[in-house]
Amino acid sequence: MKRFRNASLKWKFMILSSVTIFVSFFLFTFLQYHIVYNWMLKQEEKMVGKTLEELVAFYDEKSPGLTKASIRKSHSFIEALNEKNQRITVMDEAGRVIADVSNDVSPSFNVRDKAIKKRERQHYYVDNDHAIIMRAPVMIEGKKGTIQVVRQLERFDQITNAFFTIMTFFGMGAVVISSLLGWLISKQFLAPINDLTRMMKSIKRKGFQQRMEKRDAKDELSELTNMFNGMMDEIEGAFEQQKQFVEDASHEFRTPIAVLEGHLRLLKRWGKQDPVILEESLDAALYETNRLKHLVLELLELSRAENIRVVTDEEVIELNETAGKIVKNVAAVQPHFTIDFHPYRTPLYIRITEHHFSQILMIVLDNAIKYSPMEKWIRVEITDDEDKVDVLVSDWGIGISAEEIGKVFQRFYRVDKARSREKGGSGLGLAIAKKMMEKYNGRIDILSREEKGTTVKLSFPKEEMSQ
Ligand code: ADP
């Protein structure tokens, strides 16, 4: 059993199919043989019965005056009645033969019997031969004699044996053909799986670019192939993204590090003597260090946002209250800005941790402040929209052009690099916010017109609270 379990699929398929075909063929043939055999035997018995019947009728007619002499005289009638492989014998009460006609019956079937009382039927086997014997009583000279018909089943045996041989032969043929077919079919079926294995090996050696060839048939295997190719596309995409991210991140790091290095060299060469240069360079170095720190923290946030696992029993917050608190805190550190807050008239609940909600709203508010150089006014509104709730943050700042809107969610993307840098932006804020919103089944959308202003809409699925 263990060996079978460890055998290759091809062998399993072949063995199983041949065993199944063999068993069903065997059962079918056995049944067929049995039916034919019995039917033919019945026919033979009928024939013997018919001969016996005719003899009984013939002698009955002569009864009660039937004598041994008249029986001997009826020899020619018996002969005419007899058939091939059949022997008719008429015996007196002591089993002595009165008339006996045999047509090609083996001497081994030379059976006698004492007078019988009623009709009987026997199957008689000698060596490999088989015969049916039928007897009927007949009154001869007032005593009970016997009419006996022996039919040797030579032809019957020949036919049934031939039938059996043919069936066995076909059975064996069926096993051979079914094994062959099983082997061919399994080979055909398993070819794509073997291809897959080969491809995986090749991918292991050569890299992600390889794909399985598309199959024409629309079956489970083509689905498997498609799945495999789709998965490889995804892996390749993720791998490329990862590579791109590392490239982008190192690019981002390069600028502040280069600036830092420049100031340190300057300091080394001149700064020690010149207090003005010393002061300036130290300030600049500190500023860049700060930026680097910021960048590292934001990268960390992005990676954390990727790994948020939303569990069902996480916190549910009341939106008006939480957003109000955050807006108030921001307003306190931005005295030049007017931040209007419009809560919804009834409490609204969303499923998110307060920390994550605060992070998202802060990113959006921070952008509204950073990119509103003139009109220092921000409006935050909470609305109820059937099965979701929205937080709208609007500003009247520089806005974003239509071509850029789609790109601002990309990591490190900034519309105006210099301005963003000057404001301490790294281009990661919206990427973090979007990732977090996705993890909470929410959406973030931006509506903006250049030089007019921007509205960022945060939509969360509404949480129904029974109170
Ligand atoms: P950054 O740290 O540069 O602000 P973000 O990912 O938060 O990075 O934003 C990406 C870019 O989108 C910004 O550099 C800015 O050009 C643009 N942007 C975001 N919010 C606003 C806004 N409220 N008004 C105008 N431009 C914005």
Side-chain angles (χ1 to χ4, degrees):
M1 199 62 214
K2 199 168 168 204
R3 273 182 71 169
F4 180 73
R5 226 184 308 150
N6 291 341
S8 75
L9 273 180
K10 192 153 74 184
W11 278 105
K12 278 182 192 157
F13 204 83
M14 185 176 138
I15 292 170
L16 279 179
S17 66
S18 33
V19 166
T20 315
I21 293 182
F22 176 72
V23 169
S24 39
F25 191 86
F26 180 79
L27 286 178
F28 174 72
T29 312
F30 181 77
L31 198 75
Q32 205 178 14
Y33 178 76
H34 193 74
I35 292 172
V36 171
Y37 184 92
N38 280 323
W39 181 81
M40 281 178 66
L41 201 60
K42 278 257 146 52
Q43 291 304 29
E44 294 286 343
E45 281 174 357
K46 249 191 216 165
M47 304 265 275
V48 182
K50 211 174 117 209
T51 311
L52 191 65
E53 216 52 64
E54 281 176 38
L55 281 166
V56 169
F58 178 72
Y59 290 127
D60 270 357
E61 215 172 83
K62 297 197 163 56
S63 185
L66 185 67
T67 60
K68 288 181 185 172
S70 62
I71 290 175
R72 280 187 204 107
K73 253 194 263 167
S74 66
H75 195 274
S76 55
F77 167 74
I78 304 175
E79 219 159 47
L81 199 68
N82 201 18
E83 283 181 24
K84 198 167 159 54
N85 293 126
Q86 198 166 269
R87 176 175 188 171
I88 299 171
T89 317
V90 185
M91 290 165 277
D92 67 7
E93 76 284 354
R96 284 184 295 259
V97 176
I98 305 170
D100 184 26
V101 173
S102 170
N103 186 352
D104 229 356
V105 173
S106 153
S108 44
F109 292 114
N110 192 6
V111 279
R112 307 272 171 79
D113 212 342
K114 295 262 164 56
I116 48 160
K117 292 198 175 65
K118 55 181 178 28
R119 284 189 186 202
E120 56 178 40
R121 187 177 70 202
Q122 268 178 23
H123 281 264
Y124 201 80
Y125 298 89
V126 180
D127 299 329
N128 280 332
D129 291 328
H130 175 196
I132 304 173
I133 302 176
M134 275 190 171
R135 300 190 183 99
V138 61
M139 290 305 280
I140 310 166
E141 297 173 359
K143 292 197 181 110
K144 243 184 196 161
T146 310
I147 307 172
Q148 174 177 280
V149 182
V150 175
R151 186 176 180 92
Q152 191 178 347
L153 299 179
E154 201 173 86
R155 257 179 67 73
F156 168 83
D157 281 347
Q158 268 171 6
I159 292 173
T160 49
N161 282 344
F163 191 62
F164 186 79
T165 315
I166 289 170
M167 286 297 187
T168 314
F169 179 75
F170 271 112
M172 273 169 7
V175 171
V176 172
I177 291 173
S178 66
S179 323
L180 210 74
L181 274 178
W183 184 73
L184 274 175
I185 293 171
S186 64
K187 204 172 137 186
Q188 182 77 15
F189 269 164
L190 296 175
I193 297 184
N194 289 338
D195 282 353
L196 201 70
T197 317
R198 218 173 307 121
M199 186 52 74
M200 282 175 182
K201 280 186 190 150
S202 154
I203 286 170
K204 206 168 145 195
R205 257 182 295 125
K206 295 187 197 153
F208 292 131
Q209 287 73 30
Q210 314 225 1
R211 294 289 179 276
M212 293 265 301
E213 226 170 87
K214 262 207 158 104
R215 283 165 58 81
D216 296 333
K218 286 231 172 313
D219 53 12
E220 287 86 344
L221 286 171
S222 71
E223 208 171 297
L224 184 72
T225 313
N226 288 346
M227 281 275 289
F228 176 79
N229 284 346
M231 208 173 70
M232 287 313 295
D233 284 346
E234 254 172 55
I235 292 177
E236 195 186 353
F239 185 74
E240 282 302 320
Q241 246 182 339
Q242 205 69 24
K243 210 167 104 192
Q244 186 66 41
F245 179 65
V246 172
E247 274 169 22
D248 292 349
S250 47
H251 184 79
E252 289 299 318
F253 277 110
R254 207 175 299 142
T255 322
I257 289 173
V259 176
L260 208 58
E261 196 188 8
H263 282 295
L264 286 177
R265 279 188 201 286
L266 197 71
L267 269 181
K268 194 174 179 206
R269 224 181 274 167
W270 318 103
K272 278 175 265 179
Q273 287 84 21
D274 191 335
V276 181
I277 295 182
L278 182 68
E279 189 64 25
E280 255 178 36
S281 291
L282 280 180
D283 275 350
L286 264 176
Y287 175 79
E288 291 303 330
T289 317
N290 214 20
R291 270 187 54 73
L292 273 176
K293 194 172 83 184
H294 210 74
L295 195 62
V296 171
L297 285 178
E298 287 212 305
L299 277 177
L300 207 62
E301 281 306 332
L302 187 65
S303 132
R304 281 197 189 129
E306 275 317 327
N307 291 325
I308 291 174
R309 291 272 169 274
V310 178
V311 280
T312 43
D313 56 355
E314 95 216 55
E315 247 174 281
V316 171
I317 57 165
E318 200 287 304
L319 201 52
N320 295 313
E321 187 196 324
T322 316
K325 207 159 67 185
I326 296 163
V327 168
K328 215 164 128 193
N329 289 345
V330 173
V333 291
Q334 297 287 347
H336 307 301
F337 273 84
T338 308
I339 309 184
D340 286 340
F341 180 58
H342 300 269
Y344 193 65
R345 55 186 191 295
T346 57
L348 292 173
Y349 297 91
I350 58 171
R351 193 173 277 274
I352 187 169
T353 62
E354 187 168 336
H355 175 65
H356 286 155
F357 176 73
S358 159
Q359 259 182 302
I360 298 168
L361 188 59
M362 287 290 275
I363 288 169
V364 178
L365 281 173
D366 190 45
N367 280 349
I369 291 163
K370 270 195 292 192
Y371 304 107
S372 298
M374 313 296 285
E375 196 74 34
K376 299 203 177 293
W377 174 36
I378 293 165
R379 179 191 154 92
V380 179
E381 189 188 356
I382 297 185
T383 59
D384 182 0
D385 189 358
E386 286 182 15
D387 55 345
K388 60 188 184 64
V389 289
D390 299 331
V391 181
L392 300 155
V393 179
S394 312
D395 65 61
W396 285 263
I398 59 170
I400 310 166
S401 68
E403 314 85 83
E404 310 275 1
I405 279 190
K407 300 184 195 157
V408 292
F409 292 110
Q410 292 171 11
R411 289 174 303 207
F412 301 114
Y413 189 83
R414 284 157 290 186
V415 174
D416 180 344
K417 276 215 169 190
R419 183 184 301 192
S420 164
R421 208 175 120 74
E422 177 193 310
K423 302 270 180 193
S426 58
L428 286 174
L430 287 179
I432 297 172
K434 185 172 166 115
K435 183 75 2 193
M436 288 172 101
M437 288 301 286
E438 277 168 4
K439 294 280 176 181
Y440 284 102
N441 296 323
R443 294 178 51 102
I444 175 166
D445 295 293
I446 297 187
L447 267 169
S448 185
R449 277 178 62 198
E450 236 176 334
E451 306 300 335
K452 289 278 187 302
T454 306
T455 294
V456 179
K457 184 165 91 171
L458 304 169
S459 309
F460 295 90
K462 187 150 77 178
E463 195 65 27
E464 296 298 345
M465 296 289 279
S466 48
Q467 289 162 342

